[in-house]
């Protein structure tokens, strides 16, 4: 199937118009999962998209080309977010080395920094990869991550080309923290709510398939840009992208890492060490969605390496979870163990589907002021129901037997 940069395509994709996909439940009949008493339904149905399971490879090297995205589908990932594409890949110039690791005292990798840019492959080549993948895996979810400069015409053209290639949804990259912000792209847009609203509006108006907006954590309050994107029509939010960072200084050379010709630049920090930060941001976004956008979705990202990690994100309101640096360290087969561990968690608690526990932990997040109030009430209640006597002075003749019984252990 040939896809040209003119956006012409010889095959009719048969998509619903964008305004229909929420109400009509998308363009596919939801998968019917036949389960025995001991099986668990890991499928996810959001924004008219049917994911076999919640595990999605995140945008980056795991979605660089046909070969690696095919590997993800073959190993059993529920979806793939391809590496971010733009109209003119000639402007993208990567350097090497572009990664650096943070290790714990015992040598375990707990942090990963990258200064990698978006795809440097020609767009027409990526479009061919998308089309081929959708021919071979028509029921797997392929999401195009997109980024452009502040130019409506460019965004609209990019959307048309990707839709013609057959992708299932878009993820707008409003969050890459290095390289692209110098051109008012990525994080530079995600930190400017006026730009964010305008560009999100362009995309959601032009797209006929679901649109997710990917949020940067490099901002004071992630609820604000998330709400801006939802108000502008985003069908879902993905969060978090990497945290702006400097991995460290080499104390032998006195140069920052990763070092390129004796120099470095701020990069994006990810892997297991960012999970607590990601959970906090995801919980904040989930609360926004719960309060006024119940038809929207949330894809949780940040330090997810196990099925139990995924369970935590789902408990705080995520529909799907994305893994990027984890795949780079452990490989695509890691999804098998993640699915098994998530199923074991569900078995332990008697859950049969992800919807049984999605958002279950969210109501237990509150303010510190509320924690103080609740603890004060609990202490007062314990005092009222106090068992036993504090000292001999508290004995009374009228309640002598009752007081004696209150101190019996069996």
């Amino acid at each position: 199937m040939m896809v040209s940069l003119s956006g012409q395509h010889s095959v009719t994709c048969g998509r619903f118009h964008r305004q229909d996909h929420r109400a009509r439940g998308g363009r596919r009949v939801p998968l019917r999962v036949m389960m025995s008493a001991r099986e668990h339904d890991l499928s996810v149905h959001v924004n008219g998209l049917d994911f076999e399971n919640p595990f999605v490879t995140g945008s980056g090297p795991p979605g660089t080309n046909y070969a690696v995205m095919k590997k993800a589908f073959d190993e059993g990932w529920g979806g793939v977010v391809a590496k971010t594409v733009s109209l003119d890949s000639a402007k993208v110039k990567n350097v090497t080395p572009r990664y650096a690791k943070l290790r714990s005292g015992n040598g375990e990798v707990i942090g990963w920094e990258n200064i990698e840019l978006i795809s440097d492959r020609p767009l027409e080549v990526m479009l061919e990869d998308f089309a081929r993948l959708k021919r071979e895996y028509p029921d797997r979810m392929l999401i195009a991550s997109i980024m452009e400069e502040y130019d409506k015409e460019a965004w609209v053209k990019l959307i048309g080309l990707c839709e013609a290639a057959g992708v299932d949804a878009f993820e707008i990259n409003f969050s890459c923290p290095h390289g692209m912000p110098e051109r008012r792209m990525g994080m530079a847009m995600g930190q400017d709510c006026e730009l964010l609203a305008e560009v999100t509006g362009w995309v959601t108006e032009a797209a006929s398939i679901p649109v997710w907006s990917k949020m940067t954590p490099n901002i004071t309050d992630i609820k604000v840009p998330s709400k801006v994107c939802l108000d502008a029509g985003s069908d879902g939010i993905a969060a978090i992208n990497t945290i702006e960072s400097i991995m460290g200084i080499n104390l032998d050379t006195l140069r920052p890492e990763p070092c390129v010709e004796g120099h470095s630049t701020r990069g994006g920090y990810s892997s297991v060490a960012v999970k607590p930060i990601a959970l906090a941001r995801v919980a904040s976004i989930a609360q926004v969605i719960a309060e006024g956008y119940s038809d929207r979705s949330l894809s949780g990202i940040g330090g997810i390496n196990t099925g139990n990690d995924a369970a935590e994100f789902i408990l705080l309101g995520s529909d799907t979870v994305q893994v990027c640096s984890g795949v780079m360290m452990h490989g695509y087969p890691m999804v098998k163990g993640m699915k098994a561990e998530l199923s074991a968690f569900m078995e332990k608690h008697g859950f049969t589907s992800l919807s049984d526990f999605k958002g279950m932990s969210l109501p237990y997040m509150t303010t510190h002021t509320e924690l103080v109030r609740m603890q004060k009430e609990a202490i007062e209640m314990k005092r009222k129901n106090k068992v036993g006597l504090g000292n001999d002075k508290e004995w009374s003749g009228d309640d002598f037997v009752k007081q004696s019984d209150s101190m019996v252990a069996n």
Side-chain angles (χ1 to χ4, degrees):
M1 174 162 37
M2 296 301 293
V3 181
S4 72
L5 288 180
S6 66
Q8 298 301 311
H9 195 293
S10 61
V11 177
T12 300
C13 295
R15 283 169 168 68
F16 291 125
H17 291 298
R18 174 178 173 75
Q19 59 267 32
D20 294 338
H21 76 80
R22 284 187 202 144
R24 297 175 63 176
R27 58 187 177 278
R28 291 187 181 86
V29 177
L31 300 172
R32 300 298 180 189
V33 180
M34 301 302 293
M35 297 187 300
S36 71
R38 298 186 62 80
E39 290 179 329
H40 304 92
D41 181 5
L42 298 183
S43 64
V44 178
H45 313 291
V46 290
N47 309 134
L49 305 172
D50 298 328
F51 293 85
E52 185 178 285
N53 61 69
F55 298 105
V56 179
T57 60
S59 180
T64 298
N65 58 39
Y66 166 82
V68 298
M69 290 186 278
K70 180 183 187 302
K71 177 68 172 176
F73 286 143
D74 288 342
E75 293 293 343
W77 290 84
V80 166
V81 182
K83 194 173 187 183
T84 303
V85 295
S86 62
L87 290 177
D88 187 2
S89 64
K91 296 179 181 179
V92 180
K93 304 294 183 184
N94 274 304
V95 295
T96 300
R98 51 181 177 266
Y99 308 132
K101 298 175 180 178
L102 180 68
R103 294 176 172 85
S104 65
N106 63 9
E108 178 188 4
V109 176
I110 58 173
W112 181 286
E113 186 197 35
N114 83 88
I115 55 172
E116 186 159 5
L117 302 183
I118 64 175
S119 178
D120 58 10
R121 302 177 73 222
L123 179 60
E124 59 266 29
V125 176
M126 289 294 284
L127 294 174
E128 285 294 335
D129 286 353
F130 295 164
R132 184 179 178 187
L133 285 163
K134 288 309 298 179
R135 286 198 307 272
E136 297 176 6
Y137 302 90
D139 294 323
R140 297 297 184 89
M141 297 297 99
L142 177 61
I143 300 170
S145 175
I146 56 175
M147 181 192 289
E148 261 306 328
E149 298 184 32
Y150 181 66
D151 180 342
K152 181 177 181 179
E153 196 172 300
W155 281 99
V156 172
K157 182 177 181 180
L158 181 59
I159 290 162
L161 292 168
C162 290
E163 285 201 15
V167 300
D168 297 287
F170 290 113
E171 182 178 88
I172 317 174
N173 187 340
F174 285 133
S175 44
C176 182
H178 45 270
M180 311 318 292
E182 296 162 19
R183 293 165 50 195
R184 293 188 77 196
M185 299 167 73
M187 185 177 72
M189 282 190 178
Q191 292 176 329
D192 185 326
C193 285
E194 288 187 12
L195 279 180
L196 202 58
E198 190 170 13
V199 174
T200 302
W202 294 344
V203 175
T204 55
E205 181 182 357
S208 63
I209 56 178
V211 175
W212 295 354
S213 294
K214 189 172 185 180
M215 297 289 99
T216 175
N218 304 300
I219 196 163
T220 304
D221 185 355
I222 203 167
K223 296 192 298 293
V224 176
S226 297
K227 192 173 186 304
V228 166
C229 289
L230 293 169
D231 285 338
S234 286
D235 298 283
I237 299 294
I240 59 174
N241 205 329
T242 53
I243 300 169
E244 189 177 32
S245 62
I246 298 173
M247 182 53 81
I249 305 298
N250 185 313
L251 296 182
D252 293 323
T253 65
L254 310 185
R255 302 298 176 92
E257 299 285 3
C259 192
V260 180
E261 309 304 330
H263 294 73
S264 192
T265 188
R266 290 174 176 82
Y269 187 57
S270 59
S271 194
V272 294
V274 310
K275 192 181 87 169
I277 299 168
L279 286 170
R281 301 297 186 271
V282 162
S284 293
I285 297 167
Q287 287 169 334
V288 170
I289 291 174
E291 290 168 3
Y293 306 90
S294 60
D295 59 338
R296 314 302 173 86
S297 67
L298 177 56
S299 191
I301 312 167
I304 300 168
N305 276 346
T306 68
N308 285 338
D309 290 337
E312 292 182 63
F313 278 81
I314 296 168
L315 283 163
L316 285 175
S318 295
D319 295 285
T320 59
V321 294
Q322 296 185 31
V323 185
C324 185
S325 56
V327 177
M328 297 175 73
M329 290 188 290
H330 306 295
Y332 294 92
M334 70 182 291
V335 73
K336 294 181 174 67
M338 297 174 80
K339 289 191 288 187
E341 190 169 74
L342 182 57
S343 292
F345 162 80
M346 294 169 68
E347 178 73 20
K348 175 182 176 181
H349 292 279
F351 301 134
T352 59
S353 69
L354 302 185
S355 60
D356 288 346
F357 64 97
K358 177 196 163 186
M360 184 176 284
S361 298
L362 196 60
Y364 299 100
M365 292 302 303
T366 186
T367 64
H368 191 274
T369 299
E370 185 66 6
L371 291 179
V372 171
R373 183 197 65 78
M374 288 190 293
Q375 188 160 75
K376 182 179 179 182
E377 285 187 0
I379 291 171
E380 290 175 352
M381 185 62 67
K382 288 177 182 177
R383 285 174 179 166
K384 289 180 182 178
N385 299 326
K386 185 175 67 173
V387 176
L389 303 177
N391 54 61
D392 286 349
K393 185 179 180 180
E394 295 181 5
W395 285 98
S396 70
D398 293 337
D399 296 320
F400 191 82
V401 174
K402 182 179 178 181
Q403 289 172 331
S404 297
D405 286 342
S406 75
M407 293 184 283
V408 176
N410 60 4

